[in-house]
Amino acid sequence: MNPLSKTLHHSSRWLMLARRGSVIIETNPLNIEYLKMFYEWPGYLKRWPFWICGGTWDLGGQALEPFREAQIREIWLSGGKYKDTDCYGQMREQLERLGYIKNPRMQSVAELDSYFDRQWKLLLELSHDGYKEQSALGGKPGHEITVRIDRDGRLVKCREGSHRLAMLRVLGITRAPVTIDIVHSKWALADDRAAPTSGSLAAKIRARLEQDYGQVLAWPSWWPNGCL
């Protein structure tokens, strides 16, 4: 039985339809863990229509170094002299040896310089003006830094915003909006099994988010408390 069939097989209270960016919380970037590379997530999660998902999608993985954080820290500590950093030197050497840079893909010194200059300017902007939600910048809520909640309640990094998250951590910014695109059913239903009549599933989950992670900034209006 595939994950969608399993979900439909259970109570209709599970069927919390959620577009990307529907649930946004404000949390400490240090709460977010890196456990999987982008290619280790099951492909069906990108098309999953509900907010709750059972199955084994969250299993496996291991503690990983936060993506780009070491590089971003070098750029910040260089005071803008990013060409003197080890990370710039390594990428420049790779360009000269292979004729291109693997990740991110670049094929010239001009592209490399532009990439590092952009990171430096974004760091300066964040340090001066703080971090803003995508909606305040004219962007889409679905493009906030994105996480998932696994069965153990860990905020696990996925999808959008890896560079931004690295910058927040390097700069010591302690509160930032993140969107939660999927939560595991074992986490979502843990309290529901213990106290099934103590309120709607949506209301209880929202209360747990506020208690454990931070303020809820966005919540789907189509999840009325009386219907779940």
Side-chain angles (χ1 to χ4, degrees):
M1 186 179 292
N2 64 41
L4 178 57
S5 299
K6 287 181 180 178
T7 296
L8 294 173
H9 181 71
H10 286 78
S11 166
S12 62
R13 292 177 303 127
W14 281 49
L15 305 186
M16 299 165 70
L17 288 167
R19 296 190 297 266
R20 285 184 63 195
S22 297
V23 178
I24 299 174
I25 65 170
E26 184 179 64
T27 195
N28 188 331
L30 294 178
N31 291 336
I32 300 171
E33 300 183 46
Y34 283 79
L35 299 177
K36 293 189 177 188
M37 301 295 289
F38 70 93
Y39 52 80
E40 295 181 289
W41 294 105
Y44 66 81
L45 293 180
K46 288 186 177 181
R47 300 178 297 278
W48 186 253
F50 306 113
W51 196 57
I52 297 174
C53 184
T56 61
W57 58 266
D58 63 324
L59 296 180
Q62 58 184 327
L64 301 173
E65 289 293 323
F67 184 76
R68 299 288 185 203
E69 186 171 326
Q71 181 186 91
I72 295 296
R73 180 169 286 105
E74 278 194 62
I75 295 171
W76 179 242
L77 293 177
S78 76
K81 297 179 180 179
Y82 51 79
K83 291 184 180 181
D84 295 335
T85 62
D86 289 341
C87 56
Y88 180 92
Q90 291 166 7
M91 295 173 81
R92 179 69 182 264
E93 185 277 330
Q94 186 179 94
L95 177 63
E96 293 172 353
R97 177 167 46 87
L98 300 177
Y100 63 92
I101 296 167
K102 292 181 179 180
N103 189 12
R105 187 80 175 193
M106 292 178 283
Q107 295 180 304
S108 69
V109 174
E111 284 184 278
L112 178 61
D113 289 350
S114 177
Y115 170 80
F116 272 81
D117 191 56
R118 184 165 61 253
Q119 307 314 313
W120 169 245
K121 288 178 178 177
L122 285 171
L123 281 164
L124 283 179
E125 184 177 325
L126 281 174
S127 68
H128 293 157
D129 303 329
Y131 188 74
K132 297 181 177 63
E133 292 182 58
Q134 289 297 300
S135 59
L137 300 172
K140 297 178 180 179
H143 290 178
E144 295 289 359
I145 294 167
T146 306
V147 300
R148 292 170 178 150
I149 298 181
D150 71 4
R151 67 187 63 209
D152 297 318
R154 293 177 294 187
L155 296 177
V156 184
K157 182 70 188 70
C158 65
R159 304 187 76 166
E160 303 281 347
S162 295
H163 281 87
R164 283 173 279 162
L165 180 57
M167 290 180 182
L168 292 172
R169 293 166 67 105
V170 166
L171 294 174
I173 295 175
T174 59
R175 308 300 295 177
V178 301
T179 185
I180 304 171
D181 74 339
I182 291 173
V183 302
H184 197 279
S185 58
K186 287 192 175 181
W187 176 84
L189 300 177
D191 288 354
D192 193 45
R193 293 194 186 98
T197 61
S198 62
S200 74
L201 180 61
K204 286 188 289 183
I205 288 176
R206 178 168 182 161
R208 289 173 65 198
L209 290 175
E210 295 265 4
Q211 176 180 320
D212 296 343
Y213 308 110
Q215 180 184 0
V216 173
L217 303 178
W219 192 252
S221 59
W222 55 91
W223 291 352
N225 287 344
C227 297
L228 296 169

